[in-house]
Amino acid sequence: MSIDQPIDRQWWKEVTAYQIYPRSFNDSNGDGVGDIPGITEKVGYLDSLGIDLLWLCPVYDSPNADNGYDIRDYQSIMDEFGTIDDWEALLAELHDHDIRLIMDLVVNHTSDEHEWFEQSRRRNSKYEDYYYWRDGPPDEPPNNWGSFMGGSAWTYDERREQWYLHLFDERQPDLNWRNPAVRDDIASMVTWWLEKGIDGFRIDAINYISKPDGLPDGDTELSPTGIDVFGHGPRIHEYLRELYDRTFANYDVVTIAEMAGTTVDMAGDYLGEDGDGLDMIFHFEHMDLDVGPGGRWDTEGWGEWSLAEFKEIMSRWQTELGEDDWNAIYLGNHDQPRIVSRFGDDEAYREESAKLLATFLLTTRGTPFLYQGDEIGMTNTEFTSLDGLDDPMTIGFIEDLIAEGTIDSFEDVRDLVNYMSRDHSRTPMQWFAETNAGFTEGDPWFPIAENYQEINVEAARTGESIWNHYQSLIALRDELEVLVYGEYELYLPDDEQLYTYTRTLGEETVLVVLNWSDEPVTFDVGAIETDDAEPILGNYEESPDNPQGREFRPYETGIYRL
Ligand code: TEU
Ligand code: CA
């Protein structure tokens, strides 16, 4: 954005978003499972933090093979979570607090218990081609594609005597988007939700909906095999643009597409009116930094990442998106480890580093997405057995390695699991120091992390806490337009300790200094004139006036008006 260009103001660029994994947020009826009334009870809590947009992970009717990402009925609510009336009450309560609501749109696949799949299995005329069915001997899948949940992406169905495709769990068959009737049904379902007055969608795994003609074999070096051919397939833009024109375009809503494997060069074709009409992308480039070359579950080469590389990725997205395109900023979600454990230091510098991550999330250019529990610095937990895990992806990968003979047991990958499992972010929210962290009065569906007596919302709302730091940062972003719309400029790209950038809008410049390390470092950047620097917010008790030549303590941050 150049200075003389008018600012393209949009409400969804200005909001701070918060993601809820309903199963693990707050249980209102003591059955051990978080639910919608439990969320409604906490709307005031979200409001006090300063949240203006809530992304609700799937709450639709589901047999829970993948905790709700396997949808049995798009137009009803999961029994465990409540009723459609509960959902309406949540929406009303959110809107009363000026918090917008976006739902999770999962349309790459359905549950195998969805009516469409049941009908398709029986070859009932309209539904016969709703999924990917292929002939072939029961011991030989139609191609070499692998599933994200481990094993082949194909399962042989005895009833139909054919193979069906599932890029995720075998209980998540892929919808056949080539079939116009499938696209019609999806568009009407989307419109049904939009008519209820929601404010948009986070769109799940949408880069996989277009499969290439002939379903050719993929590169076996990649994980899962086939991702090179089924990712960003040939008709993806056609399908997305059509969906946009038929649905989102008619409402004042926001859409964020989850698309692993998207580069900044590809983004423009998806984003904005001149693309497919999408507003933002959750890209994965920074999520792929600390995984081995063979992907997330590669047992070699995981766990290391360099700040210089991280900065290079984030800065590329900050500066190379098209003029009118916009970023979604995130460090974690329900599929990733806890951010303070992964990108900070969850021991000696938990408070400082959690505040540093908060500063990063709220001062770079894009809409920040916080994940439940990050505002109190919730950490990874420790998994000690296969039985202690819930996530089908983690379990699937361990089972694959055992089946291949690569490992003998869980113990051989225990460290990797404890680094990477999606289960870390799914432990229940820690509200109070009392039994079950105040999450439930019953038996929690998944164990509460052991540190809940120390780390919980009640404890975190007093003093110079992580929670209060998030609240201040959110308020600051609401107050300073430069933090939303200002241009981003990186300094010291190669520095492995300091992440330093400015944000500039018109006459106003804000400097952000992050010591992203557990060692002190001196800030010395001749290119930035700091004599009149006015400190706005730091994460240590006493922040320096002029940062120049000053030592920044471990994970210390400073925000300055220049
Ligand atoms: O995740 C999508 C997903 O897992 C892939 O897009 C991604 O390539 C992979 O994680 C890379 O490591 C979404 C949901 O967020 C997740 O919870 C679901 O399990 C999945 O889709 C299936 O619906
Ligand atoms: Ca409940």
Side-chain angles (χ1 to χ4, degrees):
M1 187 180 10
S2 68
I3 308 171
D4 35 25
Q5 199 134 19
I7 301 175
D8 177 26
R9 288 189 177 79
Q10 302 287 346
W11 64 261
W12 44 264
K13 296 181 178 175
E14 297 174 7
V15 296
T16 297
Y18 187 96
Q19 180 193 352
I20 286 186
Y21 197 64
R23 210 171 185 73
S24 300
F25 191 64
N26 185 33
D27 173 23
S28 71
N29 64 352
D31 66 354
V33 176
D35 46 51
I36 292 173
I39 300 169
T40 309
E41 281 173 16
K42 300 290 187 185
V43 169
Y45 168 78
L46 299 176
D47 198 6
S48 65
L49 185 59
I51 298 306
D52 343 76
L53 179 73
L54 174 62
W55 153 23
L56 196 56
C57 282
V59 291
Y60 316 99
D61 175 43
S62 162
N64 281 313
D66 187 21
N67 286 348
Y69 281 92
D70 50 320
I71 298 172
R72 183 164 47 202
D73 181 352
Y74 287 102
Q75 279 154 252
S76 73
I77 300 291
M78 194 187 307
D79 283 342
E80 287 175 304
F81 289 171
T83 63
I84 193 77
D85 289 341
D86 293 329
W87 181 87
E88 299 274 5
L90 171 63
L91 180 66
E93 181 74 2
L94 287 165
H95 282 175
D96 273 356
H97 286 257
D98 289 327
I99 300 175
R100 290 176 158 98
L101 174 67
I102 62 173
M103 299 287 280
D104 216 311
L105 182 60
V106 188
V107 286
N108 174 67
H109 45 267
T110 66
S111 161
D112 63 343
E113 293 184 25
H114 194 290
E115 179 66 19
W116 300 339
F117 192 71
E118 301 276 2
Q119 300 278 356
S120 196
R121 234 179 194 167
R122 291 176 175 78
R123 293 185 191 268
N124 283 356
S125 52
K126 179 182 174 201
Y127 297 99
E128 195 162 351
D129 292 326
Y130 262 49
Y131 295 84
Y132 282 94
W133 292 101
R134 288 294 179 274
D135 286 328
D139 53 357
E140 201 192 320
N143 69 19
N144 71 356
W145 296 359
S147 151
F148 285 103
M149 306 294 202
S152 168
W154 295 91
T155 290
Y156 191 77
D157 184 60
E158 296 293 344
R159 190 191 314 253
R160 188 163 150 156
E161 297 184 326
Q162 273 187 315
W163 292 86
Y164 69 86
L165 177 68
H166 54 88
L167 296 182
F168 292 88
D169 194 79
E170 66 180 283
R171 304 201 48 198
Q172 292 169 298
D174 278 50
L175 282 165
N176 177 12
W177 278 68
R178 291 158 179 254
N179 182 343
V182 167
R183 305 204 298 275
D184 289 348
D185 278 353
I186 290 172
S188 11
M189 177 272 286
V190 166
T191 302
W192 187 83
W193 280 104
L194 292 170
E195 280 298 312
K196 288 195 167 294
I198 64 167
D199 304 290
F201 287 102
R202 173 265 188 186
I203 311 178
D204 189 71
I206 200 67
N207 52 320
Y208 305 129
I209 58 174
S210 166
K211 279 79 173 172
D213 281 341
L215 310 183
D217 276 348
D219 183 346
T220 52
E221 295 293 303
L222 298 173
S223 171
T225 297
I227 193 162
D228 50 326
V229 284
F230 65 66
H232 305 277
R235 292 175 67 185
I236 183 128
H237 294 295
E238 174 196 333
Y239 297 155
L240 286 173
R241 182 72 209 193
E242 179 190 274
L243 181 65
Y244 173 76
D245 289 337
R246 294 168 79 172
T247 62
F248 315 131
N250 309 319
Y251 299 82
D252 178 21
V253 292
V254 66
T255 50
I256 309 105
E258 186 217 22
M259 303 202 292
T262 307
T263 62
V264 72
D265 300 330
M266 295 156 75
D269 292 339
Y270 288 102
L271 296 174
E273 270 299 331
D274 56 349
D276 300 332
L278 296 167
D279 297 317
M280 292 178 245
I281 293 171
F282 285 128
H283 73 80
F284 279 59
E285 289 199 67
H286 54 318
M287 295 293 114
D288 295 337
L289 255 184
D290 55 352
V291 307
R296 166 166 198 158
W297 301 110
D298 191 338
T299 54
E300 311 283 326
W302 55 269
E304 295 294 319
W305 62 280
S306 93
L307 185 66
E309 240 182 296
F310 178 84
K311 292 190 287 191
E312 191 277 318
I313 292 168
M314 298 324 277
S315 303
R316 184 153 26 85
W317 282 84
Q318 290 283 300
T319 57
E320 290 180 23
L321 269 187
E323 296 259 299
D324 300 324
D325 296 342
W326 195 249
N327 270 303
I329 309 291
Y330 78 100
L331 289 171
N333 56 41
H334 67 294
D335 291 336
Q336 301 294 338
R338 285 282 168 186
I339 66 174
V340 71
S341 300
R342 186 181 196 177
F343 295 110
D345 176 339
D346 64 7
E347 291 176 355
Y349 297 106
R350 190 183 67 90
E351 294 259 343
E352 294 81 354
S353 64
K355 290 175 187 172
L356 175 140
L357 301 176
T359 310
F360 169 79
L361 287 167
L362 286 144
T363 60
T364 39
R365 188 162 191 258
T367 301
F369 284 80
L370 318 182
Y371 180 69
Q372 68 184 40
D374 287 343
E375 74 276 27
I376 57 168
M378 278 177 64
T379 65
N380 283 355
T381 134
E382 173 82 28
F383 297 103
T384 57
S385 71
L386 191 53
D387 289 347
L389 298 169
D390 173 72
D391 168 31
M393 185 185 275
T394 313
I395 295 169
F397 121 82
I398 298 171
E399 287 174 350
D400 267 12
L401 291 175
I402 294 176
E404 284 164 10
T406 312
I407 62 168
D408 296 325
S409 71
F410 170 81
E411 279 310 311
D412 299 328
V413 282
R414 183 171 167 154
D415 292 345
L416 172 55
V417 167
N418 277 304
Y419 185 77
M420 249 313 166
S421 180
R422 308 200 299 179
D423 282 320
H424 288 299
S425 52
R426 301 174 180 190
T427 64
M429 182 74 182
Q430 295 161 208
W431 296 102
F432 302 102
E434 64 200 40
T435 321
N436 292 329
F439 162 71
T440 179
E441 294 187 348
D443 287 333
W445 75 274
F446 200 49
I448 316 271
E450 273 169 19
N451 56 22
Y452 73 91
Q453 305 217 345
E454 179 205 344
I455 303 172
N456 60 68
V457 169
E458 189 178 46
R461 288 181 79 168
T462 52
E464 300 286 311
S465 66
I466 299 168
W467 196 93
N468 282 319
H469 207 68
Y470 266 100
Q471 190 190 42
S472 305
L473 285 160
I474 294 168
L476 193 65
R477 189 173 177 277
D478 287 345
E479 184 191 316
L480 298 182
E481 195 161 57
V482 60
L483 288 182
V484 177
Y485 294 109
E487 229 179 293
Y488 163 102
E489 188 176 355
L490 176 72
Y491 294 84
L492 310 174
D494 302 322
D495 197 296
E496 284 292 352
Q497 285 179 277
L498 282 173
Y499 191 165
T500 302
Y501 48 93
T502 52
R503 302 290 310 281
T504 302
L505 186 68
E507 300 288 289
E508 189 156 26
T509 297
V510 166
L511 165 68
V512 181
V513 183
L514 311 172
N515 175 8
W516 206 310
S517 81
D518 56 7
E519 297 289 333
V521 59
T522 300
F523 178 84
D524 187 5
V525 187
I528 307 178
E529 170 57 60
T530 62
D531 285 351
D532 298 323
E534 178 201 328
I536 310 177
L537 186 63
N539 67 345
Y540 273 71
E541 251 171 55
E542 275 165 52
S543 276
D545 286 352
N546 186 340
Q548 209 68 254
R550 243 265 308 159
E551 193 175 87
F552 277 71
R553 289 159 281 185
Y555 292 103
E556 182 165 10
T557 68
I559 303 176
Y560 301 88
R561 194 180 271 112
L562 294 185

